Amino acid sequence: MPDSMSPAPVSLRERPGRFLRSINRWAAWRAGYAPKATGFTSRPEPRSIGSDTRGRQLMAGNLLFAGVLVQVPRDLPWAIEPPTDAFEDELHGFEWLDHLAAVADGSSRPMAQDWLADWLKRYGTGKGPGWVPDLVGRRQIRWISHALYLMSGQDGHETQAFYACLGRQTAFLARRWRSTSHGLPRFEALTGLIYSACALQGMEHHLSAALKALAQECAREIDASGGILTRNPEELLNVFTLLTWTAAVLDEAGKRPDPAVNTAIMRIAPTLRSLRHADGGLARFQGGGRGATGRLDQALAQSGVRPATVTGLAMGYARISSGRCTVVVDAAPPMMGPQSFNSHASTLAFEMTSGRRPLIVNCGSGASFGADWRRAGRATPSHSTLAIEGYSSSRLGPKAAYHGVVKQALIEGPEKVEVQESDSGASRAIAFSHDGYRATHGLIHLRSLSLENDGRLLRGEDGLAALTPEDRDVLDKVMARLPLDGIPFSLRFHLHPDVEAELDMGGAAVSLTLRGGEIWVFRHGKEANLTLEKSVYLESGRLKPRATKQIVLSGRLTDYGSAVSWSLAKPGDAPRGHRDYDRDPLRL
């Protein structure tokens, strides 16, 4: 049964309506009459990284998918009723094969083969929920990558059924990839089709059209700076990973990708490097997480793109790094409009990492914990930035139901975000501003960050200001409706759950101890009231949000401008070369 502590998550992918489901099932049935795959053209190899621990959990009957734990009373998972759409997607996408195949002693193979055989009996002729192009592409990649693991010891009938479904899925992808949404779903479908055309005998005739379509998708979705429209770093990593896998499988088959694919890889690699913290994880913005452990480094290594420095913003994010410290700032408007259901009101929020340890974070996407957490995670107070009480820098539009899931787009956000960099020699500074509160309050949010060259001191200043006569007129009208004590605002610094925080110096500072023993001290200029409050860390794949804390500087605007200064610094006597030997908890 699903763990009772876990709220039902929503699926992030668009669920096809009844009409599309009927078309997909008809196409899957027809695909059974297409030419069959007769074998493999080369020895396939897995390219993704699995977890031995996750594999052994699956063997024990513990299925943890999309933040929901289901305990299977017997070996086959297909008899259970999936508790959520996202759970069902992960189950039928077969990414869990990576974890079973990672079990070091090979004891997981019989289970993987049984699960596959039962899937083929139930759904192999085009029935069931797994016949959606992006899921089929995802599943096809895993089946081909782990074919030797799956086929070892199979009898002739089982092998024939496996090849038959590989051929059916190839024909289905060739017919239905156009029905997927642009972006990651289409990249998944086309990558699965290219894998099939390169690896399966009798499927080679699909390659030319698939390569042309992938090149068109790259040109459409990857901009000149190596970014994507959603500005989701983890989604960009997933697209990049698929492209590097495609380039590798083509190279092994003696084929060359369209130049647009190589161009996309060349553009994305430096952008991802700019969005990577010192600990190797991605900055968590716009609904994205840190990325699967090891995936970013593996994808960058497979790409063959040499490290390069990005000048200016990377996909709308600014990066400051010195010593062992990295700071990444959301310095562009979020995606808005009808498709912005996963966008966050995070303009000018930042994350900070010291060495192997995250320090300042954003709460993250709450999508896997239900609709309420999803909404809360998108709001400005869930990010490490300034927010006017009761308002986000971008507002959520009215609720709308899409295939049974209630979603809200972002509307009325910042139209103009300005960034100005400077270098004093001893430090690097960036000044930012956004006008997300201009329409509602006549105010501009101003933020400046300065990181010393040794990476031991981050200075910041945040302010609100009405800059023009028109802005002041708007602010005067707002102030006239409020009490005399002004407009309340808060500046928040969400801490990673592994950070221990304590008020210090009589409440004038906060002492922050990282898991590895490193200490930072937060101070402020006394323009606001400092408190240490509860917060949450929303991490996909867990059963519930993790409890953590946040530093909050609260103030009130009573004039046409107000500013709050603060700093994060290592103590003066802290060693220059901190040795962090503390082992990380296992990330699944």
Side-chain angles (χ1 to χ4, degrees), residues 359-581:
L359 178 55
I360 305 298
V361 297
N362 298 305
C363 291
S365 172
S368 62
F369 303 110
D372 290 342
W373 280 115
R374 180 178 190 166
R375 179 185 173 91
R378 299 174 70 191
T380 300
S382 295
H383 301 82
S384 294
T385 187
L386 180 147
I388 295 175
E389 186 174 300
Y391 289 83
S392 284
S393 55
S394 299
R395 267 69 67 190
L396 291 174
K399 295 180 180 179
Y402 290 81
H403 306 305
V405 177
V406 176
K407 298 183 177 182
Q408 291 176 277
L410 273 191
I411 60 173
E412 298 177 357
E415 295 181 1
K416 189 175 184 180
V417 180
E418 294 187 340
V419 181
Q420 185 174 357
E421 301 185 37
S422 62
D423 193 337
S424 67
S427 65
R428 184 184 170 205
I430 307 183
F432 309 87
S433 69
H434 81 75
D435 60 356
Y437 298 112
R438 172 169 265 164
T440 57
H441 294 78
L443 293 170
I444 303 296
H445 174 201
L446 306 166
R447 161 164 272 182
S448 64
L449 300 174
S450 173
L451 181 65
E452 298 292 306
N453 282 345
D454 58 5
R456 296 167 62 90
L457 172 61
L458 176 69
R459 290 190 179 93
E461 184 174 77
D462 284 87
L464 290 167
L467 300 179
T468 68
E470 293 79 10
D471 292 340
R472 293 177 181 180
D473 288 342
V474 173
L475 181 59
D476 286 340
K477 294 176 182 178
V478 173
M479 297 282 278
R481 300 193 300 266
L482 296 175
L484 295 178
D485 52 359
I487 298 174
F489 65 88
S490 296
L491 182 57
R492 302 175 186 274
F493 303 82
H494 295 275
L495 304 175
H496 190 272
D498 292 338
V499 177
E500 295 182 4
E502 294 183 358
L503 288 173
D504 203 354
M505 299 174 61
V510 181
S511 178
L512 305 170
T513 304
L514 280 60
R515 177 180 285 275
E518 194 173 53
I519 296 175
W520 288 76
V521 179
F522 179 91
R523 296 181 176 88
H524 68 110
K526 298 183 173 59
E527 304 94 344
N529 180 50
L530 184 150
T531 55
L532 191 59
E533 302 178 6
K534 294 180 180 179
S535 182
V536 292
Y537 188 74
L538 304 171
E539 188 174 14
S540 63
R542 289 185 174 263
L543 295 179
K544 58 184 178 180
R546 298 177 67 184
T548 186
K549 295 180 180 179
Q550 60 177 315
I551 300 169
V552 182
L553 296 177
S554 302
R556 287 182 177 272
L557 178 76
T558 58
D559 203 342
Y560 292 128
S562 180
V564 176
S565 59
W566 53 270
S567 67
L568 275 161
K570 292 184 181 180
D573 58 354
R576 293 278 169 175
H578 179 81
R579 297 183 180 274
D580 185 350
Y581 294 118

Side-chain angles (χ1 to χ4, degrees), residues 188-245:
E188 285 188 309
L190 288 171
T191 301
L193 183 56
I194 291 170
Y195 254 69
S196 304
C198 289
L200 298 174
Q201 294 176 3
M203 301 292 111
E204 299 88 347
H205 59 284
H206 294 296
L207 183 59
S208 177
L211 287 177
K212 182 178 179 181
L214 183 65
Q216 291 173 343
E217 194 66 12
C218 286
R220 173 191 169 93
E221 296 297 313
I222 311 300
D223 62 28
S225 65
I228 55 178
L229 189 61
T230 63
R231 301 187 57 242
N232 180 326
E234 187 175 24
E235 184 177 335
L236 181 66
L237 170 59
N238 291 336
V239 170
F240 182 70
T241 300
L242 292 171
L243 293 178
T244 59
W245 288 355

Side-chain angles (χ1 to χ4, degrees), residues 51-59 64-65 90 99 588:
S51 163
D52 176 274
T53 301
R54 282 289 299 276
R56 294 187 185 279
Q57 288 180 337
L58 290 168
M59 292 174 65
L64 177 58
F65 296 145
E90 288 200 28
H99 304 308
L588 301 179

Side-chain angles (χ1 to χ4, degrees), residues 120-323:
L120 291 171
K121 290 177 183 177
R122 293 171 182 264
Y123 312 115
T125 57
K127 301 175 182 178
W131 289 93
V132 183
D134 51 321
L135 280 184
V136 173
R138 193 183 309 172
R139 184 166 63 241
Q140 192 82 334
I141 292 170
R142 269 27 186 228
W143 284 11
I144 292 173
S145 298
H146 296 293
L148 295 180
Y149 167 76
L150 292 169
M151 295 175 67
S152 178
Q154 281 187 330
D155 60 32
H157 176 74
E158 293 169 328
T159 299
Q160 185 178 11
F162 184 51
Y163 278 134
C165 198
L166 283 170
R168 183 188 292 268
Q169 291 186 155
T170 304
F172 174 83
L173 287 171
R175 289 187 171 99
R176 297 296 296 156
W177 66 262
R178 295 173 184 83
S179 67
T180 57
S181 302
H182 287 288
L184 182 58
R186 186 162 295 190
F187 280 111
E188 285 188 309
L190 288 171
T191 301
L193 183 56
I194 291 170
Y195 254 69
S196 304
C198 289
L200 298 174
Q201 294 176 3
M203 301 292 111
E204 299 88 347
H205 59 284
H206 294 296
L207 183 59
S208 177
L211 287 177
K212 182 178 179 181
L214 183 65
Q216 291 173 343
E217 194 66 12
C218 286
R220 173 191 169 93
E221 296 297 313
I222 311 300
D223 62 28
S225 65
I228 55 178
L229 189 61
T230 63
R231 301 187 57 242
N232 180 326
E234 187 175 24
E235 184 177 335
L236 181 66
L237 170 59
N238 291 336
V239 170
F240 182 70
T241 300
L242 292 171
L243 293 178
T244 59
W245 288 355
T246 297
V249 76
L250 287 169
D251 183 67
E252 291 171 0
K255 309 290 185 181
R256 290 187 179 182
D258 188 283
V261 176
N262 287 331
T263 298
I265 291 173
M266 294 285 290
R267 289 174 173 172
I268 295 174
T271 298
L272 285 173
R273 286 191 170 98
S274 294
L275 299 176
R276 179 175 58 176
H277 280 298
D279 66 342
L282 284 170
R284 300 166 72 246
F285 286 101
Q286 298 301 327
R290 290 172 48 82
T293 302
R295 178 169 291 181
L296 176 56
D297 288 336
Q298 181 193 36
L300 289 171
Q302 286 183 344
S303 73
V305 180
R306 294 182 179 181
T309 302
V310 173
T311 57
L313 303 183
M315 201 167 70
Y317 297 95
R319 174 190 173 93
I320 315 174
S321 62
S322 294

